[in-house]
Amino acid sequence: MNEGSPILLGEMLVAAGMVGQNKVEAALRRAGLTGLPLGLELVLQGLLDVDMLSNCVVAQSQVRDGLLKEKAAIDALALAGKKKIQLKVAL
C-alpha cells in the first residue's frame, strides 16, 4: 500500500481479495466515463454488494482517521467478505 498516503478504495478491495486488480481498473475507467464513484460502479457491475461496499468505506475512514491500522482493516475486510458479516464483527 501507499505508506503515508490515504488508502484508496480499489487498493483496499484488491488487498483484501474482494475484487481483482483488472476488475478494479476496468471499473475505474468506467467510473471516469460515467462520473459515478468507484464503489457504486463496482456495485452496478455486480462485483461488490452494498453491504461490503459499506464495510470498505467504514474501514477506509477508520484507517484515514487513525483508528485502525491498514493491515488490520484489510484483514477484517477479507474476513467480512468471506463470512458475509459486518466489519465491526470481523474486527
Side-chain angles (χ1 to χ4, degrees):
M1 296 294 114
N2 301 329
E3 191 65 35
S5 299
I7 187 166
L8 300 174
L9 184 75
E11 291 174 347
M12 189 172 273
L13 290 167
V14 170
M18 297 175 75
V19 181
Q21 181 71 38
N22 291 340
K23 300 283 187 183
V24 168
E25 289 172 5
L28 276 169
R29 285 191 297 275
R30 177 103 176 117
L33 295 173
T34 64
L36 295 173
L38 173 62
L40 182 54
E41 190 61 50
L42 290 166
V43 169
L44 291 173
Q45 290 182 22
L47 298 171
L48 197 63
D49 66 35
V50 174
D51 291 334
M52 285 300 115
L53 173 59
S54 177
N55 280 344
C56 197
V57 171
V58 168
Q60 183 184 34
S61 295
Q62 289 183 350
V63 169
R64 181 190 60 231
D65 295 344
L67 301 172
L68 192 59
K69 297 283 186 190
E70 192 173 301
K71 181 172 179 359
I74 290 167
D75 291 346
L77 274 176
L79 179 62
K82 285 179 189 169
K83 300 223 179 235
K84 303 290 186 207
I85 57 176
Q86 290 183 343
L87 181 68
K88 64 183 177 182
V89 175
L91 288 170

Coordinates of all heavy atoms in Angstrom, one line a residue:
M1 N 0.8 -1.2 0.0 CA 0.0 0.0 0.0 C 0.9 1.2 0.0 O 2.1 1.2 0.0 CB -0.9 0.0 1.2 CG -1.9 -1.1 1.3 SD -3.2 -1.1 0.1 CE -2.8 -2.6 -0.8
N2 N 0.3 2.4 0.0 CA 1.0 3.6 0.0 C 1.3 4.1 1.4 O 0.4 4.7 2.0 CB 0.1 4.7 -0.8 CG -0.2 4.3 -2.2 OD1 0.6 3.6 -2.8 ND2 -1.3 4.7 -2.7
E3 N 2.5 3.9 1.9 CA 2.9 4.3 3.2 C 2.8 5.8 3.3 O 3.4 6.5 2.5 CB 4.3 3.8 3.5 CG 4.7 4.0 5.0 CD 3.9 3.1 5.9 OE1 3.5 2.0 5.5 OE2 3.6 3.6 7.0
G4 N 2.0 6.3 4.3 CA 1.9 7.8 4.5 C 0.8 8.4 3.6 O 0.4 9.5 3.8
S5 N 0.2 7.7 2.7 CA -0.8 8.2 1.8 C -2.1 7.5 2.2 O -2.1 6.4 2.7 CB -0.5 7.9 0.3 OG 0.7 8.5 -0.1
P6 N -3.2 8.2 2.0 CA -4.5 7.6 2.3 C -4.7 6.3 1.4 O -4.4 6.4 0.2 CB -5.6 8.7 2.0 CG -4.8 9.8 1.4 CD -3.4 9.5 1.4
I7 N -5.3 5.3 2.0 CA -5.6 4.1 1.2 C -6.8 4.3 0.3 O -7.8 4.9 0.7 CB -5.7 2.9 2.1 CG1 -5.8 1.6 1.2 CG2 -6.9 3.0 3.0 CD1 -5.7 0.3 2.0
L8 N -6.7 3.9 -0.9 CA -7.8 4.1 -1.9 C -8.7 2.9 -1.8 O -8.2 1.8 -1.5 CB -7.2 4.3 -3.3 CG -6.3 5.5 -3.5 CD1 -5.7 5.5 -4.9 CD2 -7.0 6.8 -3.3
L9 N -9.9 3.1 -2.1 CA -10.9 2.1 -2.1 C -10.5 0.9 -2.9 O -10.6 -0.3 -2.4 CB -12.3 2.6 -2.5 CG -13.5 1.7 -2.4 CD1 -13.9 1.5 -1.0 CD2 -14.6 2.2 -3.3
G10 N -10.1 1.1 -4.1 CA -9.7 0.0 -5.0 C -8.6 -0.8 -4.5 O -8.5 -2.0 -4.5
E11 N -7.6 -0.1 -3.9 CA -6.4 -0.8 -3.4 C -6.8 -1.7 -2.2 O -6.3 -2.8 -2.1 CB -5.4 0.3 -2.9 CG -4.7 1.0 -3.9 CD -3.8 2.2 -3.4 OE1 -3.9 2.5 -2.2 OE2 -3.1 2.7 -4.2
M12 N -7.7 -1.1 -1.4 CA -8.2 -1.9 -0.2 C -8.9 -3.2 -0.7 O -8.7 -4.3 -0.1 CB -9.1 -1.0 0.7 CG -9.4 -1.6 2.0 SD -10.3 -0.5 3.1 CE -8.9 0.3 3.8
L13 N -9.8 -3.0 -1.7 CA -10.6 -4.2 -2.2 C -9.6 -5.2 -2.7 O -9.9 -6.4 -2.5 CB -11.6 -3.7 -3.2 CG -12.7 -2.9 -2.6 CD1 -13.5 -2.2 -3.8 CD2 -13.7 -3.8 -1.8
V14 N -8.6 -4.8 -3.5 CA -7.7 -5.8 -4.1 C -6.9 -6.5 -3.0 O -6.7 -7.7 -3.0 CB -6.8 -5.1 -5.1 CG1 -5.6 -6.0 -5.6 CG2 -7.6 -4.6 -6.3
A15 N -6.4 -5.7 -2.0 CA -5.5 -6.2 -1.0 C -6.3 -7.2 -0.1 O -5.8 -8.2 0.4 CB -5.0 -5.1 -0.1
A16 N -7.6 -7.0 0.0 CA -8.5 -7.9 0.8 C -8.9 -9.1 0.0 O -9.6 -10.0 0.5 CB -9.7 -7.1 1.4
G17 N -8.6 -9.1 -1.3 CA -9.0 -10.2 -2.1 C -10.5 -10.2 -2.5 O -11.0 -11.2 -2.9
M18 N -11.1 -9.1 -2.4 CA -12.6 -9.0 -2.7 C -12.9 -8.7 -4.1 O -13.9 -9.1 -4.6 CB -13.2 -7.9 -1.8 CG -13.1 -8.2 -0.3 SD -13.6 -6.8 0.7 CE -15.4 -7.0 0.5
V19 N -12.0 -8.0 -4.8 CA -12.1 -7.7 -6.2 C -10.7 -7.8 -6.9 O -9.8 -7.3 -6.3 CB -12.7 -6.3 -6.5 CG1 -12.9 -6.0 -7.9 CG2 -14.1 -6.2 -5.8
G20 N -10.6 -8.3 -8.0 CA -9.3 -8.4 -8.7 C -8.9 -7.1 -9.3 O -9.7 -6.2 -9.5
Q21 N -7.5 -6.9 -9.4 CA -6.9 -5.7 -9.9 C -7.5 -5.3 -11.3 O -7.8 -4.1 -11.5 CB -5.4 -5.9 -10.0 CG -4.7 -4.6 -10.4 CD -4.7 -3.5 -9.4 OE1 -4.6 -3.8 -8.2 NE2 -4.8 -2.3 -9.9
N22 N -7.6 -6.3 -12.2 CA -8.1 -5.9 -13.5 C -9.6 -5.4 -13.5 O -9.9 -4.5 -14.2 CB -8.0 -7.2 -14.4 CG -6.6 -7.5 -14.8 OD1 -5.7 -6.7 -14.6 ND2 -6.4 -8.7 -15.2
K23 N -10.4 -6.0 -12.6 CA -11.8 -5.6 -12.4 C -11.8 -4.2 -11.9 O -12.7 -3.4 -12.3 CB -12.5 -6.5 -11.5 CG -12.6 -8.0 -12.0 CD -13.6 -8.1 -13.1 CE -13.7 -9.6 -13.5 NZ -14.6 -9.8 -14.6
V24 N -11.0 -3.9 -10.9 CA -11.0 -2.5 -10.3 C -10.5 -1.5 -11.4 O -11.1 -0.4 -11.5 CB -10.0 -2.5 -9.1 CG1 -9.8 -1.0 -8.7 CG2 -10.6 -3.2 -7.9
E25 N -9.5 -1.8 -12.2 CA -9.0 -0.9 -13.2 C -10.1 -0.7 -14.2 O -10.3 0.5 -14.7 CB -7.8 -1.5 -13.8 CG -6.6 -1.4 -12.9 CD -5.3 -2.1 -13.4 OE1 -5.4 -2.6 -14.6 OE2 -4.4 -2.2 -12.7
A26 N -10.8 -1.7 -14.6 CA -11.9 -1.6 -15.6 C -13.1 -0.7 -15.0 O -13.6 0.1 -15.7 CB -12.5 -2.9 -16.0
A27 N -13.4 -0.9 -13.7 CA -14.4 -0.2 -13.1 C -14.0 1.3 -12.9 O -14.8 2.2 -13.1 CB -14.8 -0.8 -11.7
L28 N -12.7 1.5 -12.7 CA -12.2 2.9 -12.6 C -12.4 3.6 -14.0 O -12.8 4.8 -14.0 CB -10.7 2.9 -12.2 CG -10.5 2.8 -10.7 CD1 -9.0 2.6 -10.5 CD2 -10.9 4.1 -10.0
R29 N -12.0 2.9 -15.0 CA -12.2 3.5 -16.4 C -13.7 3.8 -16.6 O -14.0 4.9 -17.1 CB -11.7 2.6 -17.5 CG -10.2 2.5 -17.5 CD -9.7 1.8 -18.8 NE -10.0 0.4 -18.8 CZ -9.4 -0.6 -18.2 NH1 -8.3 -0.3 -17.5 NH2 -9.8 -1.8 -18.3
R30 N -14.5 2.9 -16.3 CA -16.0 3.1 -16.5 C -16.5 4.3 -15.6 O -17.3 5.1 -16.0 CB -16.7 1.8 -16.1 CG -18.2 1.9 -16.2 CD -18.8 1.3 -17.5 NE -20.2 1.4 -17.5 CZ -20.9 2.0 -18.3 NH1 -20.4 2.7 -19.3 NH2 -22.2 2.1 -18.2
A31 N -16.0 4.3 -14.4 CA -16.4 5.4 -13.4 C -16.0 6.8 -14.0 O -16.7 7.7 -13.9 CB -15.8 5.2 -12.1
G32 N -14.8 6.8 -14.7 CA -14.4 8.0 -15.3 C -15.3 8.5 -16.4 O -15.5 9.7 -16.6
L33 N -15.9 7.5 -17.1 CA -16.8 7.8 -18.2 C -18.2 8.2 -17.7 O -18.8 9.1 -18.2 CB -16.9 6.6 -19.1 CG -15.7 6.2 -19.9 CD1 -15.9 4.9 -20.7 CD2 -15.3 7.4 -20.9
T34 N -18.6 7.6 -16.6 CA -20.0 7.8 -16.1 C -20.1 8.9 -15.1 O -21.1 9.4 -14.8 CB -20.6 6.5 -15.5 OG1 -19.8 6.1 -14.3 CG2 -20.6 5.4 -16.5
G35 N -18.9 9.2 -14.4 CA -18.9 10.1 -13.3 C -19.3 9.6 -12.0 O -19.5 10.3 -11.0
L36 N -19.6 8.3 -12.0 CA -20.0 7.6 -10.7 C -18.8 7.3 -9.9 O -17.7 7.1 -10.4 CB -20.8 6.3 -11.0 CG -22.1 6.5 -11.8 CD1 -22.6 5.1 -12.1 CD2 -23.1 7.2 -10.9
P37 N -19.0 7.2 -8.6 CA -17.9 6.8 -7.7 C -17.5 5.3 -8.0 O -18.4 4.6 -8.4 CB -18.4 7.0 -6.3 CG -19.6 7.8 -6.4 CD -20.1 7.6 -7.8
L38 N -16.3 5.0 -7.7 CA -15.8 3.6 -8.0 C -16.7 2.6 -7.3 O -17.1 1.6 -7.9 CB -14.3 3.5 -7.5 CG -13.8 2.0 -7.6 CD1 -13.8 1.5 -9.0 CD2 -12.4 2.0 -7.0
G39 N -17.0 2.8 -6.0 CA -17.8 1.8 -5.2 C -19.1 1.6 -5.9 O -19.5 0.4 -6.0
L40 N -19.8 2.6 -6.3 CA -21.1 2.4 -6.9 C -20.9 1.7 -8.3 O -21.8 0.8 -8.6 CB -21.8 3.8 -7.1 CG -23.2 3.7 -7.7 CD1 -24.1 2.8 -6.9 CD2 -23.7 5.2 -7.8
E41 N -19.9 2.0 -9.0 CA -19.7 1.3 -10.3 C -19.4 -0.2 -10.0 O -20.0 -1.0 -10.8 CB -18.5 1.9 -11.0 CG -18.3 1.5 -12.4 CD -19.4 1.8 -13.3 OE1 -19.9 3.0 -13.3 OE2 -19.9 0.9 -14.0
L42 N -18.7 -0.5 -9.0 CA -18.5 -1.9 -8.7 C -19.8 -2.6 -8.3 O -20.0 -3.8 -8.6 CB -17.4 -2.1 -7.5 CG -16.0 -1.7 -7.9 CD1 -15.2 -1.5 -6.7 CD2 -15.4 -2.7 -8.9
V43 N -20.6 -1.9 -7.5 CA -21.9 -2.5 -7.2 C -22.8 -2.7 -8.4 O -23.4 -3.8 -8.6 CB -22.7 -1.6 -6.1 CG1 -24.1 -2.0 -6.0 CG2 -21.9 -1.6 -4.8
L44 N -22.8 -1.7 -9.3 CA -23.6 -1.8 -10.5 C -23.2 -2.9 -11.4 O -24.0 -3.5 -12.1 CB -23.6 -0.5 -11.3 CG -24.4 0.7 -10.6 CD1 -24.2 2.0 -11.3 CD2 -25.9 0.3 -10.5
Q45 N -21.9 -3.2 -11.4 CA -21.3 -4.3 -12.2 C -21.5 -5.6 -11.6 O -21.1 -6.7 -12.1 CB -19.8 -4.0 -12.5 CG -19.6 -2.8 -13.5 CD -18.1 -2.6 -13.8 OE1 -17.3 -3.5 -13.7 NE2 -17.8 -1.4 -14.2
G46 N -22.0 -5.7 -10.3 CA -22.2 -6.9 -9.6 C -20.9 -7.5 -9.0 O -20.9 -8.7 -8.7
L47 N -19.9 -6.7 -8.9 CA -18.6 -7.2 -8.3 C -18.5 -7.0 -6.8 O -17.7 -7.6 -6.2 CB -17.5 -6.4 -9.0 CG -17.3 -6.6 -10.5 CD1 -16.3 -5.6 -11.1 CD2 -17.0 -8.0 -10.8
L48 N -19.5 -6.2 -6.3 CA -19.5 -6.0 -4.9 C -20.9 -5.7 -4.5 O -21.7 -5.1 -5.2 CB -18.6 -4.7 -4.6 CG -18.1 -4.4 -3.3 CD1 -17.2 -5.4 -2.7 CD2 -17.4 -3.0 -3.3
D49 N -21.3 -6.2 -3.3 CA -22.7 -5.8 -2.8 C -22.6 -4.6 -1.9 O -21.5 -4.2 -1.5 CB -23.4 -7.0 -2.2 CG -22.8 -7.4 -0.9 OD1 -22.3 -6.6 -0.1 OD2 -22.8 -8.7 -0.6
V50 N -23.7 -4.0 -1.7 CA -23.8 -2.7 -1.0 C -23.3 -2.9 0.5 O -22.6 -2.0 1.0 CB -25.3 -2.2 -0.9 CG1 -25.4 -1.0 -0.1 CG2 -25.7 -1.9 -2.4
D51 N -23.5 -4.0 1.1 CA -23.0 -4.2 2.5 C -21.5 -4.2 2.5 O -20.9 -3.7 3.4 CB -23.6 -5.5 3.1 CG -25.1 -5.4 3.3 OD1 -25.6 -4.3 3.6 OD2 -25.7 -6.5 3.3
M52 N -20.9 -4.9 1.5 CA -19.4 -5.0 1.5 C -18.8 -3.6 1.1 O -17.8 -3.3 1.6 CB -19.0 -6.1 0.5 CG -19.1 -7.5 1.1 SD -18.2 -7.8 2.6 CE -19.6 -8.0 3.7
L53 N -19.5 -2.9 0.3 CA -19.1 -1.5 -0.1 C -19.1 -0.7 1.2 O -18.1 0.0 1.5 CB -19.9 -0.9 -1.1 CG -19.6 0.6 -1.4 CD1 -18.2 0.8 -1.9 CD2 -20.6 1.1 -2.5
S54 N -20.2 -0.8 2.0 CA -20.3 -0.1 3.2 C -19.1 -0.4 4.2 O -18.5 0.4 4.8 CB -21.6 -0.3 3.9 OG -21.7 0.3 5.1
N55 N -18.9 -1.7 4.3 CA -17.7 -2.2 5.1 C -16.4 -1.6 4.7 O -15.6 -1.1 5.5 CB -17.6 -3.7 5.1 CG -18.6 -4.5 5.9 OD1 -19.2 -3.9 6.8 ND2 -18.7 -5.8 5.7
C56 N -16.2 -1.5 3.4 CA -14.9 -1.0 2.9 C -14.8 0.5 3.2 O -13.8 1.0 3.5 CB -14.8 -1.3 1.4 SG -13.1 -1.1 0.8
V57 N -15.9 1.2 3.0 CA -15.9 2.7 3.2 C -15.6 3.0 4.7 O -14.8 3.9 5.0 CB -17.2 3.4 2.7 CG1 -17.3 4.8 3.1 CG2 -17.3 3.3 1.2
V58 N -16.3 2.2 5.6 CA -16.0 2.4 7.0 C -14.6 2.1 7.4 O -13.9 2.8 8.1 CB -17.0 1.5 7.8 CG1 -16.6 1.4 9.3 CG2 -18.4 2.0 7.7
A59 N -14.0 1.0 6.8 CA -12.6 0.6 7.1 C -11.7 1.7 6.6 O -10.7 2.1 7.3 CB -12.3 -0.7 6.4
Q60 N -12.0 2.2 5.4 CA -11.1 3.2 4.8 C -11.2 4.5 5.7 O -10.1 5.1 5.9 CB -11.7 3.6 3.4 CG -10.9 4.6 2.6 CD -11.5 4.9 1.3 OE1 -12.7 4.9 1.2 NE2 -10.7 5.2 0.3
S61 N -12.3 4.9 6.2 CA -12.5 6.0 7.0 C -11.7 5.8 8.3 O -11.0 6.8 8.8 CB -13.9 6.3 7.3 OG -14.6 6.6 6.2
Q62 N -11.8 4.6 8.9 CA -11.1 4.4 10.2 C -9.6 4.4 10.0 O -8.9 4.9 10.9 CB -11.6 3.0 10.8 CG -13.0 3.1 11.3 CD -13.5 1.9 12.0 OE1 -12.9 0.8 11.9 NE2 -14.7 2.0 12.6
V63 N -9.1 3.9 8.9 CA -7.7 4.0 8.6 C -7.3 5.4 8.4 O -6.3 5.9 9.1 CB -7.3 3.1 7.4 CG1 -5.9 3.4 6.9 CG2 -7.5 1.7 7.6
R64 N -8.0 6.2 7.7 CA -7.7 7.6 7.4 C -7.7 8.4 8.7 O -6.8 9.2 8.9 CB -8.7 8.2 6.5 CG -8.4 9.6 6.1 CD -9.5 10.3 5.3 NE -10.8 10.2 6.1 CZ -11.9 9.8 5.7 NH1 -12.0 9.3 4.4 NH2 -13.0 9.7 6.4
D65 N -8.6 8.1 9.6 CA -8.7 8.8 10.9 C -7.8 8.3 12.0 O -7.8 8.8 13.1 CB -10.2 8.7 11.4 CG -11.1 9.5 10.5 OD1 -10.7 10.3 9.6 OD2 -12.4 9.2 10.6
G66 N -7.0 7.3 11.6 CA -6.0 6.7 12.6 C -6.6 5.8 13.6 O -6.0 5.5 14.6
L67 N -7.8 5.4 13.4 CA -8.5 4.5 14.4 C -8.2 3.0 14.2 O -8.4 2.2 15.0 CB -10.0 4.7 14.3 CG -10.5 6.1 14.6 CD1 -12.0 6.3 14.4 CD2 -10.1 6.5 16.1
L68 N -7.6 2.7 13.0 CA -7.4 1.3 12.6 C -6.2 1.3 11.7 O -6.0 2.2 10.9 CB -8.6 0.8 11.8 CG -8.8 -0.7 11.6 CD1 -8.8 -1.5 12.8 CD2 -10.1 -0.9 10.8
K69 N -5.3 0.3 11.9 CA -4.1 0.2 11.1 C -4.6 -0.4 9.8 O -5.5 -1.2 9.7 CB -3.1 -0.8 11.7 CG -2.5 -0.3 13.0 CD -1.5 0.8 12.8 CE -0.8 1.2 14.1 NZ 0.0 2.3 13.9
E70 N -3.9 -0.1 8.7 CA -4.2 -0.5 7.4 C -4.3 -2.1 7.3 O -5.2 -2.6 6.7 CB -3.2 0.0 6.4 CG -3.6 -0.1 4.9 CD -2.6 0.6 4.0 OE1 -2.5 1.8 4.2 OE2 -2.1 -0.1 3.2
K71 N -3.3 -2.8 7.8 CA -3.3 -4.2 7.7 C -4.5 -4.8 8.5 O -5.1 -5.8 8.0 CB -2.0 -4.8 8.3 CG -2.0 -6.3 8.2 CD -0.7 -6.9 8.5 CE -0.6 -8.5 8.4 NZ -1.8 -9.2 8.1
A72 N -4.8 -4.3 9.6 CA -6.0 -4.8 10.4 C -7.3 -4.5 9.6 O -8.2 -5.4 9.6 CB -6.0 -4.1 11.7
A73 N -7.4 -3.4 8.9 CA -8.6 -3.1 8.1 C -8.7 -4.1 7.0 O -9.8 -4.6 6.7 CB -8.5 -1.7 7.6
I74 N -7.6 -4.3 6.3 CA -7.6 -5.3 5.2 C -7.9 -6.7 5.6 O -8.8 -7.4 5.0 CB -6.3 -5.2 4.4 CG1 -6.2 -3.8 3.7 CG2 -6.1 -6.3 3.4 CD1 -4.8 -3.5 3.2
D75 N -7.3 -7.1 6.7 CA -7.6 -8.5 7.2 C -9.1 -8.6 7.6 O -9.7 -9.6 7.4 CB -6.7 -8.8 8.4 CG -5.3 -9.0 8.0 OD1 -4.9 -9.1 6.8 OD2 -4.4 -8.9 9.0
A76 N -9.6 -7.6 8.3 CA -11.0 -7.6 8.7 C -11.9 -7.6 7.5 O -13.0 -8.3 7.5 CB -11.3 -6.4 9.6
L77 N -11.6 -6.8 6.5 CA -12.4 -6.8 5.3 C -12.4 -8.2 4.6 O -13.5 -8.6 4.1 CB -11.9 -5.8 4.3 CG -12.4 -4.4 4.4 CD1 -11.7 -3.4 3.4 CD2 -13.9 -4.3 4.3
A78 N -11.3 -8.8 4.5 CA -11.2 -10.1 3.9 C -12.1 -11.1 4.7 O -12.8 -11.9 4.1 CB -9.7 -10.6 3.9
L79 N -12.0 -11.1 6.0 CA -12.8 -11.9 6.8 C -14.3 -11.6 6.6 O -15.1 -12.5 6.5 CB -12.4 -11.8 8.3 CG -13.2 -12.7 9.3 CD1 -13.1 -14.2 9.0 CD2 -12.8 -12.4 10.7
A80 N -14.7 -10.3 6.7 CA -16.1 -9.9 6.5 C -16.6 -10.4 5.1 O -17.7 -10.9 5.0 CB -16.2 -8.4 6.6
G81 N -15.7 -10.3 4.1 CA -16.1 -10.7 2.8 C -16.4 -12.2 2.7 O -17.3 -12.7 2.1
K82 N -15.5 -13.0 3.3 CA -15.6 -14.5 3.3 C -16.8 -14.9 4.0 O -17.5 -15.8 3.6 CB -14.3 -15.1 3.9 CG -13.2 -15.1 3.0 CD -12.0 -15.7 3.6 CE -10.7 -15.4 2.8 NZ -9.5 -15.8 3.4
K83 N -17.0 -14.3 5.2 CA -18.1 -14.8 6.1 C -19.4 -14.0 5.9 O -20.4 -14.4 6.6 CB -17.6 -14.7 7.5 CG -16.4 -15.5 7.8 CD -16.5 -16.2 9.1 CE -15.3 -17.0 9.4 NZ -15.6 -18.4 9.6
K84 N -19.4 -13.0 5.1 CA -20.6 -12.2 4.8 C -21.1 -11.6 6.1 O -22.3 -11.7 6.4 CB -21.7 -13.0 4.1 CG -21.2 -13.6 2.8 CD -21.0 -12.5 1.7 CE -20.7 -13.2 0.4 NZ -20.0 -12.4 -0.5
I85 N -20.2 -11.0 6.8 CA -20.5 -10.3 8.1 C -20.1 -8.9 8.1 O -19.4 -8.4 7.2 CB -19.8 -11.0 9.3 CG1 -18.3 -11.0 9.1 CG2 -20.3 -12.4 9.5 CD1 -17.5 -11.6 10.3
Q86 N -20.6 -8.1 9.1 CA -20.3 -6.7 9.1 C -18.8 -6.5 9.6 O -18.3 -7.4 10.3 CB -21.2 -6.0 10.1 CG -22.6 -5.9 9.7 CD -23.5 -5.1 10.7 OE1 -23.1 -4.9 11.8 NE2 -24.6 -4.6 10.2
L87 N -18.3 -5.4 9.2 CA -16.9 -5.1 9.5 C -16.7 -5.1 11.1 O -15.7 -5.7 11.5 CB -16.5 -3.8 8.9 CG -15.0 -3.4 9.2 CD1 -14.1 -4.3 8.5 CD2 -14.8 -1.9 8.9
K88 N -17.6 -4.5 11.8 CA -17.4 -4.4 13.2 C -17.4 -5.8 13.9 O -16.7 -6.0 14.9 CB -18.5 -3.6 13.9 CG -19.9 -4.1 13.8 CD -20.9 -3.1 14.4 CE -22.3 -3.6 14.2 NZ -23.2 -2.6 14.8
V89 N -18.0 -6.8 13.3 CA -18.0 -8.2 13.8 C -16.6 -8.8 13.5 O -16.0 -9.5 14.3 CB -19.1 -9.0 13.3 CG1 -19.0 -10.5 13.7 CG2 -20.5 -8.4 13.7
A90 N -16.1 -8.5 12.3 CA -14.8 -9.1 11.9 C -13.7 -8.5 12.6 O -12.6 -9.1 12.8 CB -14.6 -8.8 10.4
L91 N -13.8 -7.3 13.1 CA -12.8 -6.6 13.9 C -12.7 -7.3 15.3 O -11.7 -7.3 15.9 CB -13.0 -5.1 14.1 CG -12.8 -4.3 12.8 CD1 -13.3 -2.9 13.0 CD2 -11.3 -4.3 12.4

